[in-house]
Amino acid sequence: MSEEEATRRSRSRAGFSHRRRRRLALVGVGVVVVAIAAVARSTLNGGDSSPPPAAGGPPGTGPLKLVAKRAPRPLPAPISGESVAATPGGVYVMGGLDSAGNSAAGIFRLDPRTARLKAAGNLIGPLHDAAGTALGGHVLVLGGGTTTSTDAVQTFTPGQDARAVGRLPTARSDLAAITLGGRAYVLGGYDGQTLSAEVLATPDGKSFSTLARLPVPVRYPAVAGSGQTIYVFGGDTAGGKPTDAIQAVDVSSGSAHVVGHLPAAVDHASAVTLGGRVYVLGGSVGAAPTPRLLAFAPASGRAKDAGSLPMPVSNAAAAASTSTGYLVGGIGQNGAPLTSIITLSLVPAPAPAGTTSTASTTTSAKAPAPPSSGAPFDGQLMIADRGNNRIIVVDAKKHLLWRYPGPGRPAPPGGFYFPDDAFFIKNGTGIITNEEENETIVELGYPSGKILWSYGHPGVIGSTAGYLHEPDDAYLLKDGTITVADAQNCRILFIKSGDKSTSQLGTNGVCAHNPPQTFGSPNGDTPLANGDILVSEVNGSYIDEVTRGGHVVWSAHLPIAYPSDPQKIGPDRYLASDYTRPGGIVEFDRRGHILWSYRPTSGNGMLDHPSLAEQLPNGLIAANDDYRDRVVLIDPKTKRIVWQYGRTDHAGTGHNRLNTPDGLDFLDPSGNTPTHPYTG
């Protein structure tokens, strides 16, 4: 099988198993054959087999926190599926998949002092999904694959090309390796037909013996060591589904047991040991990368939340060198391979006054960070491109990261027509969108594009159970309920995602302002922190806060023509669009007083039927300028447009082109939705 065919299989999510199995659907380059982070806790002498420090940290230290941050220098090119190994002279990155999905043969050295990556040799051929570990002055590269899995074992001395040194008992890819006490151990993997349960031990990469069998055979696990025990976190099982199992392999007794469970099933994660503590990094939860950090306590068998990485990462390669850990490359939230290097370090943390010091872990990425230098926002901007019948995701540099429908992401039955709004849900692992004139609501996996849930009958208007009439602003609530402004039925509908049973506010077909009995063509239903709903009524230009039980908290008449999609931005401060020409954006209070407005009447700044305005954490206001075919960011202080996607008054489908964009949403690098944090 050719490399071209292997890439095609990778992009179609078949990998080199020759059968379909569960994968994270990746976008852009379509890379799906993913990395096992071969975690090298050890140094070149074969590893530290001493017991871990006490819970409070090494002797003489107080509580410690884990700091995770991006290195200032990125990789020269994106990579995933690589293997890594740590030596006293640096961390070595071997093979992997490039941005085109092709296997790579390069060996690169990451300098721990400068985070620079320099060429250091070549493998004996292109390779990805292998495992790497340092052993006896050399680096071993075990298994992996190109078009098929291989049993080859390679070795190289830092600074030299690799050479073949031995063979595994069977071919294995998707495996992990670690060195403890002068021996290397091979765990997990796949031979092209079945999962490999045998835990192998080798003193030299030439001869192998079976130490134990994993009670839960897995591929794509995360692996780290502590003392004489190897811990195996998650991974894909024989059924293609991830597991939450934490398995422990005692290298002194040759026993293996399930000793605990992760908070959620995960695959494609990485792990590293720092300061005697074991951390699980990122991975794929619910088919999408996560920024989650977990701290594992061997004594209790529990893995607890330890903060977040700077952004969601899966399929990355991890290694520890002295006191610093590195998470290299991988796949990001948008499904494309990354150029990032994330450094991990433990630093003293002062204990709260009047308390006894105990171990703690946090991350420097917890607090919202300002946008990158020169960029108006960090993260991803999703646009419901209504006139083009598509949803797209772009970044601040106007790169197209994802689109739906797209390759491998077909439209749902009944087509995908007139997406009026779209919002990220479930920490960025899904999208909910309402197709206003197709009379449907659709929930998609992100980035897979898989149809997870739908409601309505495509192209069929109705008001009885299962039918809609111009649904607007579908949101997923924290309890799993979907709320939508069913505009032409003049009701706010609450739909249980499980059985699709409904309740509602308003009376079908009675379109006059008298909440909660009737609403005048509601077109917005924004969830609030207290569980209430913020409703906009087109007829009469009213904004109402109502409880789900139907109590009206307040109602205000706005002096604008067509209020659209209100958002709460502060105590008694709200934002709404005036959907007309020339249109505007207004900030108002509960009494309907206008506190601020943006409404140029001519020139480039004029808006033509803006449908939604949201305030970003940095204060900029994002708005759909529907009929001028663009999404804009406005500085509220200067009242100037500082960024836009789409060419003003020029509809199109190519780069930087839109056609009547009617919805938008933001996902930050940590997987949060800052403009609607109270949704599910």
Side-chain angles (χ1 to χ4, degrees), residues 388-476:
N388 285 324
N389 298 318
R390 66 179 184 174
I391 297 171
I392 65 170
V393 178
V394 302
D395 62 16
K397 295 182 179 180
K398 303 184 182 181
H399 298 140
L400 179 64
L401 307 177
W402 186 85
R403 63 184 171 91
Y404 179 87
R409 299 178 293 280
F416 191 71
Y417 172 66
F418 213 98
D420 179 72
D421 289 283
F423 299 103
F424 287 111
I425 59 175
K426 300 177 181 177
N427 297 114
T429 65
I431 293 169
I432 191 165
T433 178
N434 49 279
E435 302 170 78
E436 184 175 317
E437 292 191 6
N438 201 31
E439 318 303 344
T440 56
I441 303 169
V442 178
E443 182 182 330
L444 308 170
Y446 180 73
S448 69
K450 181 181 179 181
I451 307 297
L452 303 179
W453 182 90
S454 64
Y455 187 89
H457 295 259
V460 182
I461 294 171
S463 60
T464 57
Y467 289 85
L468 301 165
H469 190 182
E470 293 192 10
D472 208 341
D473 281 19
Y475 286 98
L476 175 67

Side-chain angles (χ1 to χ4, degrees), residues 41 48-52 180-181 225-231 251 273 276:
R41 172 178 178 261
D48 178 8
S49 60
S50 60
L180 291 178
S226 180
Q228 292 294 301
T229 304
I230 303 170
Y231 293 98
V251 301
T273 303

Side-chain angles (χ1 to χ4, degrees), residues 32-362:
V32 295
V33 187
V34 291
I36 282 301
V39 183
R41 172 178 178 261
S42 60
T43 56
L44 195 60
N45 63 9
D48 178 8
S49 60
S50 60
T61 67
L64 298 177
K65 66 177 181 179
L66 181 67
V67 175
K69 61 182 180 180
R70 284 190 180 189
R73 301 179 187 276
L75 300 170
I79 193 73
S80 67
E82 74 275 29
S83 55
V84 296
T87 76
V91 175
Y92 285 84
V93 182
M94 296 87 70
L97 289 162
D98 63 19
S99 59
N102 299 317
S103 297
I107 300 171
F108 296 86
R109 175 183 173 271
L110 177 65
D111 188 329
R113 295 169 299 175
T114 65
R116 288 181 179 271
L117 200 71
K118 296 183 178 181
N122 290 284
L123 299 171
I124 58 177
L127 192 69
H128 59 273
D129 282 344
T133 188
L135 178 66
H138 302 275
V139 175
L140 294 180
V141 182
L142 305 106
T146 49
T147 57
T148 59
S149 300
T150 180
D151 61 3
V153 179
Q154 307 176 49
T155 186
F156 66 88
T157 300
Q160 299 181 7
D161 287 344
R163 56 185 177 84
V165 66
R167 293 188 178 279
L168 296 167
T170 60
R172 284 200 199 193
S173 57
D174 321 336
L175 67 163
I178 186 170
T179 298
L180 291 178
R183 284 179 176 264
Y185 298 90
V186 179
L187 306 98
Y190 183 72
D191 65 5
Q193 297 294 327
T194 59
L195 298 182
S196 303
E198 294 81 6
V199 178
L200 304 177
T202 179
D204 53 13
K206 300 176 183 179
S207 60
F208 292 85
S209 60
T210 299
L211 173 72
R213 290 180 61 87
L214 293 176
V216 183
V218 288
R219 58 197 297 201
Y220 305 118
V223 171
S226 180
Q228 292 294 301
T229 304
I230 303 170
Y231 293 98
V232 181
F233 302 95
D236 278 351
T237 60
K241 295 182 178 180
T243 179
D244 63 2
I246 303 172
Q247 304 180 71
V249 180
D250 188 324
V251 301
S252 60
S253 67
S255 61
H257 304 280
V258 174
V259 295
H261 295 274
L262 297 164
V266 65
D267 51 17
H268 312 112
S270 306
V272 70
T273 303
L274 286 172
R277 295 171 174 83
V278 177
Y279 297 95
V280 183
L281 317 171
S284 178
V285 175
T290 175
R292 186 180 63 182
L293 280 175
L294 296 174
F296 173 66
S300 66
R302 294 183 177 181
K304 296 183 178 181
D305 180 71
S308 297
L309 298 168
M311 69 281 197
V313 178
S314 69
N315 321 319
S321 177
T322 315
S323 60
T324 304
Y326 299 89
L327 191 64
V328 181
I331 296 295
Q333 184 68 59
N334 62 5
L338 298 168
T339 59
S340 60
I341 300 171
I342 297 173
T343 61
L344 305 142
S345 57
L346 290 171
V347 301
T355 64
T356 301
S357 296
T358 56
S360 65
T361 53
T362 61

Side-chain angles (χ1 to χ4, degrees), residues 510-539:
V510 182
C511 302
H513 169 69
N514 186 27
Q517 287 76 25
T518 63
F519 293 91
S521 297
N523 74 338
D525 58 319
T526 308
L528 300 178
N530 61 4
D532 294 350
I533 303 295
L534 197 62
V535 178
S536 54
E537 299 180 73
V538 175
N539 298 348

Side-chain angles (χ1 to χ4, degrees), residues 550-564:
H551 173 68
V552 178
V553 180
W554 59 269
S555 181
H557 174 265
L558 294 187
I560 60 177
Y562 192 123
S564 181

